[in-house]
Amino acid sequence: MDEFARLRARYIAEAQQMAPEAVARLSWTRDQVVEAQTLGLRKIVGHAQQHSPYYAKLIGSLEASTLDLSDLTKIPPLTKELVMTHWDDIVTDRSLKLEQVVEHLDRLKQDETLNPYFRGDLYAAATGGTSGKRGVYLWDWETCVITANITFRMEHQYDLLNPPSSPRRTAVVCAGSYVHASRMVFPTSLDPQRETRVFPADMPLDRMVEEMNAYQPDRLVGFASIVEELCAMALDGALKVKLNRISANSEPLFDEARAMAREAWGIDINDTWGAVEIGAAATEGNSYGGASLAEDYVIFEPVDDDDQPMPAPDRAERLLCTKLYGSVMPMIRYEMTDKMTFDMSNNPDAPGCRRIMEIRGRADDWFVYGGAIKVHPMVFRDVLGQERHISEYQVQQTEQGARVLIIAHGELPLAQLETDLAKVLSHSGVTAPEVSVERVDNLPRHPETKKLKRFVPLK
C-alpha cells in the first residue's frame, strides 16, 4: 500500500469512527447548538490570535475566552481576495507558504500519480468556483474527517434505522482529479460495508450510463446537473439501475430533477451545499424540507449586501461562515456570496439547526454540441481553476469549442491552456474541438446588474 492509500484508508476509518457522535448531534436542541458554537468560537479565535499574524492584528485585544456569538460582529469579514493576499499570515503553522502549496498543486496537476496530500496529512485544494476567482485552501486532518461526517451523517442515520440490503454500491460523479475537493469527499462512506466507485464528471454520458449499468449501484452521489441528466436517461430506459438514495451537490438542484427521480425510482433527491473554503455546510434529510445547516460545526451569519446581520432572514444576500474546526487555516466570518432562502420553522431532521430552502447564484449551464454532446462546466473549471496566474475567467461556447477570456497576473501559457482545454473537450466527446484563450483587462458583465456570467452557452 502506497502512502496515499494508507492515509486515505486512515481518513475513512476515522470518519467512520466519528460517525456515532456526528449522528447524535442531529438530535441536539438549539440551546445545545448555541453552547457548542460559543465554546468552539472561543477556541478557534483564541488559537488564531496566538498563531496567525493576520488574525492577531485583525482581532487585536478581543478576549477570546469570554466571547459570545454577539461579539462576532466585532471581527471584520474575510473574503477570498483577503485570503489570497494574506495567505502566509492567515495559516497558523508559520512554516507553511502559499508558494509551496501552489507548487504542490502544479505537480499534482501534471502527475496525478503523486500523493495528493501535502507535507504529511494536509489536503490542499484550489478552486475557481463559479466566481472564477482562484483560491487555495488547506484542510487539516480534522477538517477532512468532520467534512465527511457532515456530508454523510444523515444518510448514515437513515441506514442505522433502515439497514440496506446488499449489495451496497454507490456511484459517485465528481471531479476525476484529487486537485478538486469533490474527489476527496464524495467517494467516502460512513458504512464500512459500502463500496464506492468514481465516475469522472467529464466522462461522456453514454459511456457513464453503460458503466453504471454494469456496476449496478443502489445509490448515486453527484453534481446536481449530472444527477438530473441521469434521471432523464433512466426515464428514457437507457440507465437501468435500481436506486434507493440519490444525493446531489455542487450546483442548484431543480424541481424537475426531483420529479424525474420520483418517477424513475419512487424516491426524492437529498440536496447538499458546501464549498472548498468551508467544507460541507448543509445536507437535506428525509423530510425533504430543505438542507439543514451544520450549525453544530459552523456558525452561519445571514447578512445583507452591507454585511449587516439579518436576524430573521428570508432571502439572505450572503453568509458569513465561521468554521469551528480545522486549526491550520482558520475561516472566521468567511464570506460566501451565494444567495439563499431560509426556513425558520421547526426542523424535524435536526431540531437545533436552521434549514435553507433555495440556493441561488451558483447555477452553471451545460454546453451542448451538435445537439447531442453535453459538456459539464467542471471540464473547464478543472483546467482553469488550477492555473496559478489566473484571477478571473469567462468561458463562451462556440460552435466547435470555446472562447475563453482571462484576467491574469504574471506569465500565462496560453497555448498550453488551449491544448489542455481542447483535450478535455475531445475526451468529453466533442469532435476536433477548437479553443481560443485570450488575455483581457476586463470581462463583460450584465449591463444592469453588473453580474458576471461565468459560463455562456450558445443561444
Side-chain angles (χ1 to χ4, degrees):
M1 181 181 292
D2 63 21
E3 180 65 7
F4 173 66
R6 184 187 68 80
L7 286 169
R8 182 153 182 85
R10 175 188 153 205
Y11 146 67
I12 292 175
E14 292 189 18
Q16 292 171 348
Q17 291 167 9
M18 183 189 171
E21 174 194 342
V23 168
R25 286 170 169 244
L26 292 173
S27 63
W28 277 8
T29 65
R30 186 64 185 175
D31 287 343
Q32 287 176 296
V33 169
V34 169
E35 180 182 5
Q37 288 182 336
T38 302
L39 294 175
L41 177 65
R42 293 171 181 174
K43 179 180 178 181
I44 203 74
V45 169
H47 182 80
Q49 276 181 314
Q50 294 176 30
H51 300 283
S52 163
Y54 175 82
Y55 282 113
K57 182 178 180 180
L58 185 75
I59 299 172
S61 59
L62 197 63
E63 179 52 53
S65 64
T66 59
L67 281 178
D68 287 320
L69 300 185
S70 60
D71 294 319
L72 266 172
T73 56
K74 300 175 183 177
I75 303 174
L78 180 68
T79 64
K80 181 183 289 187
E81 290 78 8
L82 287 171
V83 168
M84 295 308 294
T85 301
H86 302 284
W87 200 99
D88 288 357
D89 285 335
I90 287 175
V91 293
T92 57
D93 183 337
R94 306 312 312 134
S95 67
L96 290 170
K97 303 298 178 185
L98 175 60
E99 186 65 22
Q100 297 171 351
V101 178
V102 169
E103 290 174 357
H104 163 77
L105 290 170
D106 285 346
R107 289 193 298 270
L108 181 59
K109 183 175 62 174
Q110 295 166 7
D111 183 1
E112 294 185 3
T113 65
L114 297 176
N115 182 358
Y117 284 104
F118 173 71
R119 218 181 66 179
D121 57 11
L122 295 173
Y123 172 64
T127 177
T130 54
S131 71
K133 295 181 179 179
R134 191 171 192 260
V136 177
Y137 299 88
L138 275 182
W139 290 11
D140 56 20
W141 197 256
E142 182 183 40
T143 296
C144 292
V145 171
I146 290 180
T147 296
N149 273 275
I150 292 174
T151 305
F152 293 110
R153 61 178 171 173
M154 284 193 173
E155 175 182 339
H156 192 60
Q157 179 190 52
Y158 181 82
D159 284 349
L160 293 174
L161 298 173
N162 307 276
S165 58
S166 296
R168 304 181 187 186
R169 301 191 188 108
T170 299
V172 182
V173 181
C174 63
S177 169
Y178 280 101
V179 299
H180 192 274
S182 66
R183 181 66 176 85
M184 176 63 72
V185 175
F186 295 122
T188 304
S189 175
L190 302 182
D191 178 0
Q193 299 180 50
R194 178 160 291 278
E195 174 188 338
T196 62
R197 177 177 166 184
V198 170
F199 294 79
D202 64 351
M203 179 183 289
L205 281 168
D206 55 351
R207 179 181 163 197
M208 186 181 295
V209 167
E210 180 183 350
E211 294 194 11
M212 281 193 188
N213 285 340
Y215 183 54
Q216 284 297 300
D218 66 324
R219 292 189 178 168
L220 172 64
V221 175
F223 298 144
S225 59
I226 295 182
V227 165
E228 181 174 354
E229 191 70 21
L230 291 172
C231 288
M233 297 188 83
L235 291 177
D236 287 342
L239 181 62
K240 298 179 173 65
V241 297
K242 296 179 180 180
L243 300 180
N244 57 47
R245 192 178 184 92
I246 305 173
S247 297
N249 57 67
S250 303
E251 300 163 332
L253 176 65
F254 299 116
D255 290 340
E256 292 83 353
R258 293 183 183 275
M260 286 190 290
R262 288 192 292 266
E263 184 178 350
W265 295 289
I267 57 176
D268 207 328
I269 300 174
N270 298 91
D271 201 7
T272 306
W273 174 70
V276 169
E277 299 95 314
I278 59 173
T283 51
E284 188 170 24
N286 292 306
S287 71
Y288 300 100
S292 300
L293 289 165
E295 296 193 88
D296 49 329
Y297 289 110
V298 184
I299 298 171
F300 300 94
E301 300 174 78
V303 296
D304 60 22
D305 278 330
D306 298 318
D307 287 333
Q308 296 303 304
M310 302 174 67
D314 177 16
R315 287 179 176 258
E317 294 303 316
R318 66 192 72 191
L319 285 183
L320 301 182
C321 305
T322 300
K323 279 177 52 183
L324 304 177
Y325 58 94
S327 59
V328 170
M329 193 173 190
M331 293 284 107
I332 301 175
R333 305 196 82 205
Y334 184 86
E335 179 187 81
M336 297 295 298
T337 57
D338 295 343
K339 302 175 187 292
M340 53 189 62
T341 301
F342 275 69
D343 177 11
M344 305 300 289
S345 64
N346 294 332
N347 179 1
D349 297 315
C353 302
R354 293 170 293 180
R355 287 182 293 182
I356 49 177
M357 306 299 295
E358 180 187 11
I359 305 167
R360 298 167 290 137
R362 296 187 301 152
D364 288 336
D365 293 307
W366 289 76
F367 286 5
V368 181
Y369 295 91
I373 304 299
K374 295 186 176 182
V375 176
H376 191 271
M378 179 60 69
V379 169
F380 298 97
R381 293 207 301 265
D382 271 351
V383 175
L384 299 173
Q386 305 306 322
E387 175 51 51
R388 61 196 300 171
H389 295 309
I390 293 178
S391 298
E392 293 184 272
Y393 61 83
Q394 182 182 71
V395 183
Q396 303 172 357
Q397 184 185 4
T398 62
E399 289 290 345
Q400 281 298 115
R403 177 188 182 216
V404 183
L405 305 181
I406 288 175
I407 296 176
H409 57 278
E411 296 296 321
L412 199 63
L414 298 181
Q416 185 61 50
L417 282 173
E418 290 175 346
T419 299
D420 291 345
L421 289 168
K423 182 184 297 183
V424 295
L425 280 176
S426 177
H427 182 69
S428 297
V430 180
T431 302
E434 299 173 358
V435 178
S436 66
V437 178
E438 304 168 36
R439 191 165 179 166
V440 298
D441 295 326
N442 297 288
L443 296 174
R445 294 178 178 270
H446 191 281
E448 296 177 358
T449 66
K450 305 303 181 184
K451 292 182 179 179
L452 178 66
K453 187 171 180 61
R454 189 63 47 201
F455 299 94
V456 185
L458 282 174
K459 294 183 179 180

